[in-house]
Each structure stands twice: as structure tokens, then as C-alpha cells.
mmCIF file of all heavy atoms in Angstrom:
data_model
loop_
_atom_site.group_PDB
_atom_site.id
_atom_site.type_symbol
_atom_site.label_atom_id
_atom_site.label_comp_id
_atom_site.label_asym_id
_atom_site.label_seq_id
_atom_site.Cartn_x
_atom_site.Cartn_y
_atom_site.Cartn_z
ATOM 1 N N PRO A 1 28.314 -53.503 -11.920
ATOM 2 C CA PRO A 1 29.212 -52.366 -11.701
ATOM 3 C C PRO A 1 28.752 -51.544 -10.498
ATOM 4 O O PRO A 1 27.550 -51.421 -10.235
ATOM 5 C CB PRO A 1 29.079 -51.546 -12.987
ATOM 6 C CG PRO A 1 28.559 -52.504 -14.005
ATOM 7 C CD PRO A 1 27.711 -53.486 -13.254
ATOM 8 N N TYR A 2 29.699 -50.999 -9.789
ATOM 9 C CA TYR A 2 29.385 -50.073 -8.708
ATOM 10 C C TYR A 2 28.875 -48.762 -9.283
ATOM 11 O O TYR A 2 29.274 -48.352 -10.369
ATOM 12 C CB TYR A 2 30.636 -49.770 -7.874
ATOM 13 C CG TYR A 2 30.866 -50.735 -6.748
ATOM 14 C CD1 TYR A 2 31.823 -51.729 -6.841
ATOM 15 C CD2 TYR A 2 30.130 -50.636 -5.577
ATOM 16 C CE1 TYR A 2 32.058 -52.609 -5.792
ATOM 17 C CE2 TYR A 2 30.340 -51.511 -4.519
ATOM 18 C CZ TYR A 2 31.300 -52.486 -4.638
ATOM 19 O OH TYR A 2 31.515 -53.358 -3.594
ATOM 20 N N ALA A 3 28.003 -48.103 -8.534
ATOM 21 C CA ALA A 3 27.552 -46.750 -8.819
ATOM 22 C C ALA A 3 27.974 -45.875 -7.645
ATOM 23 O O ALA A 3 28.149 -46.374 -6.525
ATOM 24 C CB ALA A 3 26.036 -46.719 -8.995
ATOM 25 N N LEU A 4 28.122 -44.582 -7.873
ATOM 26 C CA LEU A 4 28.535 -43.692 -6.790
ATOM 27 C C LEU A 4 27.582 -43.749 -5.602
ATOM 28 O O LEU A 4 27.998 -43.546 -4.463
ATOM 29 C CB LEU A 4 28.685 -42.258 -7.303
ATOM 30 C CG LEU A 4 29.924 -42.014 -8.162
ATOM 31 C CD1 LEU A 4 29.943 -40.582 -8.688
ATOM 32 C CD2 LEU A 4 31.205 -42.323 -7.400
ATOM 33 N N ILE A 5 26.324 -44.065 -5.856
ATOM 34 C CA ILE A 5 25.354 -44.176 -4.767
ATOM 35 C C ILE A 5 25.708 -45.300 -3.788
ATOM 36 O O ILE A 5 25.246 -45.313 -2.649
ATOM 37 C CB ILE A 5 23.922 -44.337 -5.328
ATOM 38 C CG1 ILE A 5 22.893 -44.043 -4.235
ATOM 39 C CG2 ILE A 5 23.725 -45.717 -5.932
ATOM 40 C CD1 ILE A 5 21.495 -43.864 -4.755
ATOM 41 N N ASP A 6 26.568 -46.235 -4.204
ATOM 42 C CA ASP A 6 26.993 -47.350 -3.350
ATOM 43 C C ASP A 6 28.121 -46.963 -2.385
ATOM 44 O O ASP A 6 28.509 -47.758 -1.528
ATOM 45 C CB ASP A 6 27.491 -48.522 -4.206
ATOM 46 C CG ASP A 6 26.434 -49.076 -5.131
ATOM 47 O OD1 ASP A 6 25.269 -49.192 -4.698
ATOM 48 O OD2 ASP A 6 26.780 -49.405 -6.290
ATOM 49 N N ALA A 7 28.653 -45.763 -2.516
ATOM 50 C CA ALA A 7 29.843 -45.378 -1.749
ATOM 51 C C ALA A 7 29.642 -45.484 -0.241
ATOM 52 O O ALA A 7 30.528 -45.967 0.473
ATOM 53 C CB ALA A 7 30.293 -43.969 -2.136
ATOM 54 N N ALA A 8 28.514 -45.055 0.264
ATOM 55 C CA ALA A 8 28.298 -45.082 1.717
ATOM 56 C C ALA A 8 28.316 -46.508 2.254
ATOM 57 O O ALA A 8 28.895 -46.781 3.315
ATOM 58 C CB ALA A 8 26.983 -44.393 2.071
ATOM 59 N N VAL A 9 27.712 -47.437 1.525
ATOM 60 C CA VAL A 9 27.701 -48.833 1.993
ATOM 61 C C VAL A 9 29.092 -49.451 1.877
ATOM 62 O O VAL A 9 29.501 -50.236 2.740
ATOM 63 C CB VAL A 9 26.614 -49.675 1.296
ATOM 64 C CG1 VAL A 9 26.943 -50.003 -0.132
ATOM 65 C CG2 VAL A 9 26.343 -50.948 2.070
ATOM 66 N N VAL A 10 29.863 -49.080 0.846
ATOM 67 C CA VAL A 10 31.243 -49.564 0.734
ATOM 68 C C VAL A 10 32.044 -49.090 1.940
ATOM 69 O O VAL A 10 32.745 -49.881 2.588
ATOM 70 C CB VAL A 10 31.900 -49.088 -0.580
ATOM 71 C CG1 VAL A 10 33.408 -49.328 -0.562
ATOM 72 C CG2 VAL A 10 31.270 -49.773 -1.777
ATOM 73 N N GLN A 11 31.933 -47.821 2.266
ATOM 74 C CA GLN A 11 32.673 -47.280 3.401
ATOM 75 C C GLN A 11 32.264 -47.982 4.694
ATOM 76 O O GLN A 11 33.110 -48.345 5.508
ATOM 77 C CB GLN A 11 32.439 -45.780 3.520
ATOM 78 C CG GLN A 11 33.227 -45.136 4.639
ATOM 79 C CD GLN A 11 33.035 -43.633 4.702
ATOM 80 O OE1 GLN A 11 32.269 -43.046 3.956
ATOM 81 N NE2 GLN A 11 33.752 -42.999 5.613
ATOM 82 N N ARG A 12 30.980 -48.213 4.875
ATOM 83 C CA ARG A 12 30.476 -48.854 6.090
ATOM 84 C C ARG A 12 30.931 -50.309 6.183
ATOM 85 O O ARG A 12 31.389 -50.765 7.231
ATOM 86 C CB ARG A 12 28.949 -48.777 6.125
ATOM 87 C CG ARG A 12 28.335 -49.393 7.379
ATOM 88 C CD ARG A 12 26.831 -49.162 7.467
ATOM 89 N NE ARG A 12 26.088 -49.458 6.258
ATOM 90 C CZ ARG A 12 25.713 -50.674 5.870
ATOM 91 N NH1 ARG A 12 26.027 -51.734 6.590
ATOM 92 N NH2 ARG A 12 25.018 -50.847 4.755
ATOM 93 N N LEU A 13 30.833 -51.069 5.081
ATOM 94 C CA LEU A 13 31.166 -52.501 5.116
ATOM 95 C C LEU A 13 32.669 -52.762 5.099
ATOM 96 O O LEU A 13 33.164 -53.610 5.839
ATOM 97 C CB LEU A 13 30.516 -53.224 3.932
ATOM 98 C CG LEU A 13 29.009 -53.353 3.937
ATOM 99 C CD1 LEU A 13 28.527 -54.003 2.644
ATOM 100 C CD2 LEU A 13 28.521 -54.135 5.147
ATOM 101 N N ALA A 14 33.392 -52.071 4.230
ATOM 102 C CA ALA A 14 34.823 -52.346 4.070
ATOM 103 C C ALA A 14 35.669 -51.716 5.158
ATOM 104 O O ALA A 14 36.763 -52.204 5.457
ATOM 105 C CB ALA A 14 35.295 -51.845 2.700
ATOM 106 N N GLY A 15 35.162 -50.664 5.760
ATOM 107 C CA GLY A 15 35.968 -49.928 6.713
ATOM 108 C C GLY A 15 36.044 -50.496 8.115
ATOM 109 O O GLY A 15 36.833 -50.018 8.930
ATOM 110 N N VAL A 16 35.263 -51.522 8.410
ATOM 111 C CA VAL A 16 35.334 -52.092 9.758
ATOM 112 C C VAL A 16 36.625 -52.904 9.895
ATOM 113 O O VAL A 16 37.112 -53.484 8.920
ATOM 114 C CB VAL A 16 34.092 -52.962 10.095
ATOM 115 C CG1 VAL A 16 32.818 -52.140 10.038
ATOM 116 C CG2 VAL A 16 34.006 -54.171 9.195
ATOM 117 N N PRO A 17 37.195 -52.952 11.085
ATOM 118 C CA PRO A 17 38.468 -53.663 11.248
ATOM 119 C C PRO A 17 38.431 -55.119 10.797
ATOM 120 O O PRO A 17 39.399 -55.615 10.225
ATOM 121 C CB PRO A 17 38.740 -53.569 12.753
ATOM 122 C CG PRO A 17 37.962 -52.398 13.216
ATOM 123 C CD PRO A 17 36.762 -52.307 12.320
ATOM 124 N N GLU A 18 37.325 -55.824 11.037
ATOM 125 C CA GLU A 18 37.241 -57.238 10.667
ATOM 126 C C GLU A 18 37.494 -57.453 9.174
ATOM 127 O O GLU A 18 38.023 -58.488 8.776
ATOM 128 C CB GLU A 18 35.866 -57.819 11.032
ATOM 129 C CG GLU A 18 35.596 -57.888 12.508
ATOM 130 C CD GLU A 18 34.986 -56.598 13.076
ATOM 131 O OE1 GLU A 18 34.945 -55.575 12.366
ATOM 132 O OE2 GLU A 18 34.570 -56.633 14.233
ATOM 133 N N VAL A 19 37.106 -56.499 8.342
ATOM 134 C CA VAL A 19 37.310 -56.607 6.898
ATOM 135 C C VAL A 19 38.624 -55.945 6.491
ATOM 136 O O VAL A 19 39.481 -56.563 5.861
ATOM 137 C CB VAL A 19 36.126 -55.981 6.118
ATOM 138 C CG1 VAL A 19 36.402 -55.958 4.617
ATOM 139 C CG2 VAL A 19 34.838 -56.735 6.412
ATOM 140 N N ALA A 20 38.799 -54.694 6.854
ATOM 141 C CA ALA A 20 39.954 -53.929 6.389
ATOM 142 C C ALA A 20 41.284 -54.554 6.806
ATOM 143 O O ALA A 20 42.234 -54.579 6.022
ATOM 144 C CB ALA A 20 39.861 -52.495 6.899
ATOM 145 N N LEU A 21 41.359 -55.061 8.011
ATOM 146 C CA LEU A 21 42.639 -55.543 8.509
ATOM 147 C C LEU A 21 43.024 -56.927 7.988
ATOM 148 O O LEU A 21 44.105 -57.423 8.298
ATOM 149 C CB LEU A 21 42.648 -55.518 10.042
ATOM 150 C CG LEU A 21 42.448 -54.114 10.638
ATOM 151 C CD1 LEU A 21 42.475 -54.168 12.158
ATOM 152 C CD2 LEU A 21 43.456 -53.119 10.098
ATOM 153 N N THR A 22 42.161 -57.553 7.180
ATOM 154 C CA THR A 22 42.511 -58.839 6.572
ATOM 155 C C THR A 22 42.916 -58.679 5.109
ATOM 156 O O THR A 22 43.075 -59.668 4.398
ATOM 157 C CB THR A 22 41.336 -59.838 6.661
ATOM 158 O OG1 THR A 22 40.220 -59.296 5.954
ATOM 159 C CG2 THR A 22 40.967 -60.122 8.102
ATOM 160 N N THR A 23 43.082 -57.425 4.658
ATOM 161 C CA THR A 23 43.486 -57.161 3.276
ATOM 162 C C THR A 23 44.678 -56.211 3.264
ATOM 163 O O THR A 23 44.948 -55.521 4.237
ATOM 164 C CB THR A 23 42.348 -56.495 2.468
ATOM 165 O OG1 THR A 23 42.204 -55.150 2.911
ATOM 166 C CG2 THR A 23 41.042 -57.250 2.603
ATOM 167 N N LYS A 24 45.352 -56.163 2.127
ATOM 168 C CA LYS A 24 46.454 -55.217 1.986
ATOM 169 C C LYS A 24 45.992 -53.887 1.408
ATOM 170 O O LYS A 24 46.660 -52.880 1.535
ATOM 171 C CB LYS A 24 47.563 -55.808 1.116
ATOM 172 C CG LYS A 24 47.184 -55.988 -0.339
ATOM 173 C CD LYS A 24 48.372 -56.463 -1.166
ATOM 174 C CE LYS A 24 48.009 -56.752 -2.585
ATOM 175 N NZ LYS A 24 47.528 -55.634 -3.361
ATOM 176 N N SER A 25 44.822 -53.876 0.774
ATOM 177 C CA SER A 25 44.453 -52.692 0.009
ATOM 178 C C SER A 25 43.303 -51.861 0.572
ATOM 179 O O SER A 25 43.099 -50.748 0.134
ATOM 180 C CB SER A 25 44.118 -53.103 -1.425
ATOM 181 O OG SER A 25 43.070 -54.048 -1.418
ATOM 182 N N ILE A 26 42.559 -52.377 1.527
ATOM 183 C CA ILE A 26 41.454 -51.594 2.078
ATOM 184 C C ILE A 26 41.996 -50.723 3.206
ATOM 185 O O ILE A 26 42.564 -51.243 4.170
ATOM 186 C CB ILE A 26 40.310 -52.496 2.586
ATOM 187 C CG1 ILE A 26 39.692 -53.263 1.405
ATOM 188 C CG2 ILE A 26 39.242 -51.664 3.288
ATOM 189 C CD1 ILE A 26 38.610 -54.247 1.806
ATOM 190 N N PRO A 27 41.828 -49.408 3.096
ATOM 191 C CA PRO A 27 42.358 -48.522 4.134
ATOM 192 C C PRO A 27 41.569 -48.629 5.438
ATOM 193 O O PRO A 27 40.384 -48.963 5.438
ATOM 194 C CB PRO A 27 42.199 -47.127 3.521
ATOM 195 C CG PRO A 27 41.165 -47.259 2.465
ATOM 196 C CD PRO A 27 41.174 -48.684 2.009
ATOM 197 N N HIS A 28 42.262 -48.362 6.524
ATOM 198 C CA HIS A 28 41.603 -48.279 7.829
ATOM 199 C C HIS A 28 42.300 -47.207 8.632
ATOM 200 O O HIS A 28 43.511 -47.306 8.821
ATOM 201 C CB HIS A 28 41.652 -49.623 8.562
ATOM 202 C CG HIS A 28 40.871 -49.601 9.827
ATOM 203 N ND1 HIS A 28 39.496 -49.606 9.827
ATOM 204 C CD2 HIS A 28 41.255 -49.523 11.108
ATOM 205 C CE1 HIS A 28 39.074 -49.568 11.073
ATOM 206 N NE2 HIS A 28 40.136 -49.517 11.870
ATOM 207 N N PRO A 29 41.630 -46.165 9.051
ATOM 208 C CA PRO A 29 40.190 -45.959 8.863
ATOM 209 C C PRO A 29 39.847 -45.622 7.416
ATOM 210 O O PRO A 29 40.683 -45.142 6.666
ATOM 211 C CB PRO A 29 39.876 -44.787 9.789
ATOM 212 C CG PRO A 29 41.172 -44.074 9.954
ATOM 213 C CD PRO A 29 42.259 -45.091 9.826
ATOM 214 N N TYR A 30 38.618 -45.919 7.056
ATOM 215 C CA TYR A 30 38.113 -45.675 5.700
ATOM 216 C C TYR A 30 37.463 -44.293 5.724
ATOM 217 O O TYR A 30 36.345 -44.126 6.190
ATOM 218 C CB TYR A 30 37.107 -46.755 5.322
ATOM 219 C CG TYR A 30 36.997 -47.025 3.842
ATOM 220 C CD1 TYR A 30 37.397 -48.241 3.320
ATOM 221 C CD2 TYR A 30 36.486 -46.080 2.969
ATOM 222 C CE1 TYR A 30 37.291 -48.519 1.973
ATOM 223 C CE2 TYR A 30 36.373 -46.350 1.620
ATOM 224 C CZ TYR A 30 36.780 -47.559 1.124
ATOM 225 O OH TYR A 30 36.678 -47.821 -0.220
ATOM 226 N N GLU A 31 38.183 -43.306 5.225
ATOM 227 C CA GLU A 31 37.778 -41.898 5.321
ATOM 228 C C GLU A 31 36.685 -41.552 4.302
ATOM 229 O O GLU A 31 36.556 -42.207 3.260
ATOM 230 C CB GLU A 31 38.987 -40.994 5.075
ATOM 231 C CG GLU A 31 40.169 -41.261 5.976
ATOM 232 C CD GLU A 31 39.986 -40.767 7.397
ATOM 233 O OE1 GLU A 31 39.116 -39.901 7.619
ATOM 234 O OE2 GLU A 31 40.705 -41.269 8.278
ATOM 235 N N ASP A 32 35.938 -40.499 4.612
ATOM 236 C CA ASP A 32 34.937 -39.976 3.676
ATOM 237 C C ASP A 32 35.612 -39.651 2.348
ATOM 238 O O ASP A 32 36.724 -39.110 2.323
ATOM 239 C CB ASP A 32 34.278 -38.710 4.235
ATOM 240 C CG ASP A 32 33.361 -38.989 5.409
ATOM 241 O OD1 ASP A 32 32.998 -40.166 5.629
ATOM 242 O OD2 ASP A 32 33.011 -38.024 6.112
ATOM 243 N N GLY A 33 34.951 -39.986 1.256
ATOM 244 C CA GLY A 33 35.449 -39.694 -0.085
ATOM 245 C C GLY A 33 36.280 -40.807 -0.699
ATOM 246 O O GLY A 33 36.440 -40.857 -1.919
ATOM 247 N N MET A 34 36.830 -41.699 0.128
ATOM 248 C CA MET A 34 37.671 -42.776 -0.408
ATOM 249 C C MET A 34 36.868 -43.733 -1.288
ATOM 250 O O MET A 34 37.363 -44.184 -2.325
ATOM 251 C CB MET A 34 38.340 -43.556 0.718
ATOM 252 C CG MET A 34 39.442 -42.821 1.414
ATOM 253 S SD MET A 34 40.126 -43.855 2.745
ATOM 254 C CE MET A 34 41.626 -42.965 3.093
ATOM 255 N N ALA A 35 35.664 -44.070 -0.869
ATOM 256 C CA ALA A 35 34.849 -45.008 -1.652
ATOM 257 C C ALA A 35 34.471 -44.403 -2.992
ATOM 258 O O ALA A 35 34.533 -45.083 -4.027
ATOM 259 C CB ALA A 35 33.602 -45.413 -0.867
ATOM 260 N N GLU A 36 34.098 -43.127 -3.003
ATOM 261 C CA GLU A 36 33.754 -42.474 -4.274
ATOM 262 C C GLU A 36 34.948 -42.463 -5.217
ATOM 263 O O GLU A 36 34.807 -42.736 -6.416
ATOM 264 C CB GLU A 36 33.282 -41.024 -4.022
ATOM 265 C CG GLU A 36 31.936 -40.914 -3.349
ATOM 266 C CD GLU A 36 31.996 -40.959 -1.827
ATOM 267 O OE1 GLU A 36 33.072 -41.273 -1.246
ATOM 268 O OE2 GLU A 36 30.954 -40.702 -1.207
ATOM 269 N N GLU A 37 36.123 -42.151 -4.669
ATOM 270 C CA GLU A 37 37.338 -42.133 -5.487
ATOM 271 C C GLU A 37 37.617 -43.523 -6.067
ATOM 272 O O GLU A 37 37.932 -43.668 -7.246
ATOM 273 C CB GLU A 37 38.518 -41.655 -4.645
ATOM 274 C CG GLU A 37 39.807 -41.537 -5.429
ATOM 275 C CD GLU A 37 40.953 -41.031 -4.560
ATOM 276 O OE1 GLU A 37 40.713 -40.305 -3.590
ATOM 277 O OE2 GLU A 37 42.100 -41.398 -4.885
ATOM 278 N N TRP A 38 37.499 -44.557 -5.233
ATOM 279 C CA TRP A 38 37.744 -45.935 -5.669
ATOM 280 C C TRP A 38 36.749 -46.339 -6.750
ATOM 281 O O TRP A 38 37.140 -46.875 -7.796
ATOM 282 C CB TRP A 38 37.659 -46.852 -4.446
ATOM 283 C CG TRP A 38 37.777 -48.309 -4.714
ATOM 284 C CD1 TRP A 38 38.890 -48.985 -5.119
ATOM 285 C CD2 TRP A 38 36.736 -49.274 -4.584
ATOM 286 N NE1 TRP A 38 38.597 -50.327 -5.238
ATOM 287 C CE2 TRP A 38 37.282 -50.519 -4.917
ATOM 288 C CE3 TRP A 38 35.403 -49.207 -4.207
ATOM 289 C CZ2 TRP A 38 36.543 -51.694 -4.899
ATOM 290 C CZ3 TRP A 38 34.660 -50.370 -4.174
ATOM 291 C CH2 TRP A 38 35.236 -51.597 -4.520
ATOM 292 N N ILE A 39 35.474 -46.076 -6.533
ATOM 293 C CA ILE A 39 34.437 -46.433 -7.518
ATOM 294 C C ILE A 39 34.687 -45.729 -8.844
ATOM 295 O O ILE A 39 34.504 -46.319 -9.912
ATOM 296 C CB ILE A 39 33.034 -46.119 -6.957
ATOM 297 C CG1 ILE A 39 32.692 -47.096 -5.824
ATOM 298 C CG2 ILE A 39 31.967 -46.173 -8.059
ATOM 299 C CD1 ILE A 39 31.467 -46.704 -5.007
ATOM 300 N N SER A 40 35.160 -44.500 -8.791
ATOM 301 C CA SER A 40 35.361 -43.731 -10.025
ATOM 302 C C SER A 40 36.480 -44.288 -10.905
ATOM 303 O O SER A 40 36.579 -43.931 -12.079
ATOM 304 C CB SER A 40 35.639 -42.258 -9.694
ATOM 305 O OG SER A 40 36.945 -42.100 -9.164
ATOM 306 N N THR A 41 37.293 -45.201 -10.388
ATOM 307 C CA THR A 41 38.383 -45.786 -11.184
ATOM 308 C C THR A 41 37.971 -47.037 -11.960
ATOM 309 O O THR A 41 38.695 -47.472 -12.856
ATOM 310 C CB THR A 41 39.572 -46.172 -10.283
ATOM 311 O OG1 THR A 41 39.183 -47.234 -9.399
ATOM 312 C CG2 THR A 41 40.071 -44.980 -9.475
ATOM 313 N N HIS A 42 36.843 -47.633 -11.624
ATOM 314 C CA HIS A 42 36.492 -48.951 -12.154
ATOM 315 C C HIS A 42 36.306 -48.971 -13.668
ATOM 316 O O HIS A 42 36.805 -49.880 -14.343
ATOM 317 C CB HIS A 42 35.249 -49.509 -11.467
ATOM 318 C CG HIS A 42 35.443 -49.740 -10.011
ATOM 319 N ND1 HIS A 42 34.409 -50.040 -9.162
ATOM 320 C CD2 HIS A 42 36.556 -49.725 -9.224
ATOM 321 C CE1 HIS A 42 34.861 -50.192 -7.939
ATOM 322 N NE2 HIS A 42 36.166 -50.002 -7.950
#
């Protein structure tokens, strides 16, 4: 399971164009707070 402490790495890894632009659901740009919000739903 993800922990909130993982949010910064999620934002860094998922938010780059190479990753985000190959999916329908990863936002780009990946704004501050988005990863924490996403993790909190799991």
C-alpha cells in the first residue's frame, strides 16, 4: 500500500511527460497535493 510519505516520489515519477502523456488518468502537470489526494483514496 502507498503511504502519504510516498507522495513526493509519485509526483516526481508520474508527472514527467514520458509517463503522464501515455495514460488517460495521470495529470500533467502533476500539481502539488495531487499525489496526497490520490493516495488518500486507496
Side-chain angles (χ1 to χ4, degrees):
Y2 272 103
L4 286 177
I5 197 167
D6 299 319
V9 73
V10 168
Q11 183 177 3
R12 181 173 48 80
L13 291 176
V16 299
E18 294 87 350
V19 174
L21 299 180
T22 61
T23 72
K24 68 175 176 63
S25 58
I26 296 176
H28 186 73
Y30 207 114
E31 305 286 341
D32 289 345
M34 288 179 166
E36 290 87 350
E37 183 179 332
W38 175 69
I39 290 168
S40 73
T41 66
H42 297 170

